[in-house]
Amino acid sequence: MKVKIILTCLLLFSCISFASEFDSLYSKLSKNPSDKKQQEVCLQYLIDNSNIPAIQLIEHYTSLSNLLKNEISASIQCDIAARLANLYNTIGDYSKALHHGLIAEKIALRTNKKYLPGIYNIIGNTYLGLKKNESMIEAFQNCYNYAKIYKDNRLMAYGAAGLGNYYGTINEFDQSNKWNLEALKSFDILKQRFAQCIIRVNLSSNYRQQKKYNTSTNYINEAEKYLEDSKLNYCYELFYSERGLLYLATNKYNQAIQDFKKSIEYGKLDNARHNLSEHYYYLSKAYQQAGSYHLAFEALSTHLKYKDSVFNEESNQQLLELEEKYKSEKKDTEIRLLTKTNQLNNSELKRKSMLIWIFGIGSIVIFGLLFFLIISIRSKNKINNLLEHKNKEIEDKQNEIVSSINYAKRIQFTLLASDYLLSENLMNYFVLFRPKDIVSGDFYWAIKTNTHFFLAVCDCTGHGVPGAFMSLLNINFLKEAITEKNIEKPGEIFDFVRARLIENLAEEGQNDGMDGTLIAVNLHTSEIQYAGANRAPLLISNGEIVELEYDKMPIGKGVKSENFKNNTLAYKKGDSLYLFTDGFADQFGGESGKKFKVKNFKNLLNSFSSQPPREQKIHIEESFDRWKGDIEQLDDVCVFGIQL
C-alpha cells in the first residue's frame, strides 16, 4: 500500500455533533448575508467543529459559499474553496477536489500569493489520488518553494511531506525517507500531532516495503504515541491500515484482521470510499492467509463494490478462487445409465437408429450455428475494444487540450489588472468579466507610472484561444509603449500598438487587431485623457448620458490609417465612467431572441449609475442573465465602471 498523506495547513479536526446549532447560525445569517460579524461566527464555527463527517462539512461549506457569493472578501472565498478541495480529497472525489483547488489557486495568484503553499499542498494530494505523478511532484515542489520564499517552516514541512509521498509512490524509498525526515523534524518542533503521527506511518510503510520490518515496527510504535492527540479520523484510519499491513507481512494474520477492521471503522466516518476499497482488499488477504475463505470472499466482494462493481482481471480471478474454497464440496450427480433390453425387435432398433441420425445431424447444425455465432461475437468484441481504445485516446487528448487551456487561463488571469492595483488607484469601481470560453479575447489591464495611471478595456479579434493569444500580444504592446517608449498620451499609445500589430501580423495578410478604450489619469492634476478605437467610454453626469468622441477605426490594419485622437474628459466629482466591450450589447435574448443593442445597454447603465459600484455590478449580472436566458453566450463580456 502506498501511504496517502492528506496534510493541510488550512484544516484542524475535532469530533462533535453540531448540525442543529449550525443551522441556527446559518438561518440568522441568511436574513442579512452582509453581516460581517455573523459571517465570521459561521465560518469559525465550521473550523472549530471540523471533525464531523466530511460529507456534512462539504454540504455546509457549499451552502455558506452560495449564500455569501457576493458578500465576502477574496481571501475568504479562497479559504472556503481550499477547504472544499481538501474535504473532497478526504472522500476521494478528486474531480471536484481539483475544481475547487484550482479556484483557490486562481484567487490566490490574483490577491495574495501567501496562500499558495497550502493550496498547492492540497492540489498535490488530489493528483496523488489521481495517480498523476508529474502533476503531483510539480504541485508539492511549488508548495515547498513558495513556503521557502515566505519563510514559513510549517508549510515547508507540508511540501517536504508531499515530496516524500511522491517518491514513495514511485518506490524511490531513499529519496522518500529523506523528504519525510525533513518534514518530521519540523513537525516535531511545531508539535503538530496529526502530522507527527502520519509522517511516522509513512516512514513505517517505506521500510515495510523494503522488508526492513524492525525499523518499520519502530516507526509504527512511535506513531501510536501521537495517535490520540491527533484528533483526526484519517490518522486512525491510516495508522491501523499500515500496522495491519505490517502484521500481514510478518504473518500475524489475526492482529492484521483486527487492525484492518479498525481502519474500516474510521474510513466509514468520513465515507472515504477510495480508502475503504483498499482496506477491504487487505482484509480479504488477511482472511485468506488465516484460512477464513468465507470471510475473505465477503471482504473481497465489498472491496469490489466500493470500486463501483468494476471487476478487473486480477480481482475477478481471485474472487473465483476464493469462491471455490468457500463453497462446500458437492457430490457429483450420478448418471443414470439406460438399460438396454435384449428383447428389442428389429423395428424398434430401426426407429432408434433413425432418431440417433436425426439427433446427430441436428447437433451438427446447432454446433455449426454456435460456432459462427461465437466467431461473430468475437469479431464484434474486437471492434468494440478497438473503438473503446480509440475513444480513450480521444478522451485523453481532449483532457490534455482542456488542461492546457486551463493553464493558459491561469496565465491570462495573472496579466489582468489586479484588485490590489485597481483599489490603490481608484476610489470606487467594479469590473464584470465573463469570458465566453475558458480563455478570453476581452481584457482589462492597468499600469501605474510615476506620473500617470493607465486603464485599458479592449476587445481583440476572436474569442477563445485565438482571442486569448491576441490579448496577450496586445497587452505586451501596450506595456512596451508605456514602460519602454515612455509614451503618455492614449492616442499616441494606440498609434504605437497599431504599428506593432501591422509590423508583426500584416505580412501574413491578416487584419487582426482590437477595439477598445484607454484612459490616462494624471496623478498630479487628476486630469483624465482618453482614446477610443471603435469604442467610446460612457460618461453619466446627474442622470444624463454624455456622448463622447472616439475614432471609428480599429487598432490594426483597417480602411483608415489616421492617427488616433487624444481626448480630454471633462467631468465632475460623482460622475460615473464606464468602459466596455460589445459582448453585452450584441447578446441575443429576450422574448423575441434579438440583440440587446448599445442604446439599451447605455440606458441600463444610466438606470442604476447613482448606486454604489458593488450594487451596479449585481444589477448588470442579473440583467445579462435574465436577457440571455437559455440562449448560448455569443461573445466575451467585459464592463468596467468607475465612480469619479
Side-chain angles (χ1 to χ4, degrees), residues 1-5 165 168-169 171 173 176-177 180 198-213 215-217 219-220 238 241-243 245-246 282:
M1 173 185 176
K2 296 291 188 298
V3 181
K4 298 179 181 178
I5 304 176
N165 233 341
T169 301
N171 296 331
F173 297 115
S176 177
N177 290 338
N180 275 308
I198 289 176
I199 295 297
R200 285 176 168 84
V201 172
N202 197 27
L203 287 163
S204 175
S205 174
N206 286 349
Y207 284 111
R208 171 183 55 78
Q209 293 176 81
Q210 293 177 289
K211 302 188 186 304
K212 298 179 180 179
Y213 298 129
T215 308
S216 178
T217 301
Y219 275 113
I220 203 69
L238 189 64
S241 178
E242 175 52 36
R243 194 171 72 175
L245 285 169
L246 182 57
Y282 293 126

Side-chain angles (χ1 to χ4, degrees), residues 130-268:
L130 293 171
K131 296 181 173 61
K132 290 192 172 183
N133 288 342
E134 291 184 5
S135 301
M136 185 205 318
I137 189 173
E138 179 185 355
F140 284 134
Q141 193 67 62
N142 282 340
C143 171
Y144 186 84
N145 292 342
Y146 273 104
K148 194 171 184 179
I149 291 171
Y150 294 116
K151 298 179 181 179
D152 191 321
N153 293 331
R154 182 165 60 105
L155 293 175
M156 282 179 65
Y158 289 131
L163 290 168
N165 233 341
Y166 164 75
Y167 286 110
T169 301
I170 62 174
N171 296 331
E172 292 189 14
F173 297 115
D174 289 340
Q175 278 290 91
S176 177
N177 290 338
K178 168 193 165 186
W179 284 107
N180 275 308
L181 288 170
E182 178 178 336
L184 186 61
K185 183 178 179 181
S186 296
F187 287 135
D188 282 344
I189 294 172
L190 295 168
K191 295 183 179 180
Q192 285 203 295
R193 299 307 187 197
F194 74 94
Q196 289 174 289
C197 176
I198 289 176
I199 295 297
R200 285 176 168 84
V201 172
N202 197 27
L203 287 163
S204 175
S205 174
N206 286 349
Y207 284 111
R208 171 183 55 78
Q209 293 176 81
Q210 293 177 289
K211 302 188 186 304
K212 298 179 180 179
Y213 298 129
N214 289 336
T215 308
S216 178
T217 301
N218 290 338
Y219 275 113
I220 203 69
N221 289 339
E222 286 183 21
E224 189 173 15
K225 298 175 184 177
Y226 301 95
L227 193 58
E228 185 176 352
D229 291 336
S230 69
K231 298 180 181 179
L232 177 60
N233 291 336
Y234 183 72
C235 280
Y236 286 92
E237 180 187 353
L238 189 64
F239 170 80
Y240 286 118
S241 178
E242 175 52 36
R243 194 171 72 175
L245 285 169
L246 182 57
Y247 282 142
L248 189 60
T250 53
N251 303 323
K252 298 176 182 178
Y253 306 126
N254 291 330
Q255 293 98 317
I257 289 168
Q258 295 307 312
D259 275 1
F260 288 138
K261 284 182 177 180
K262 290 179 180 178
S263 68
I264 289 169
E265 289 177 12
Y266 285 103
K268 286 181 177 179

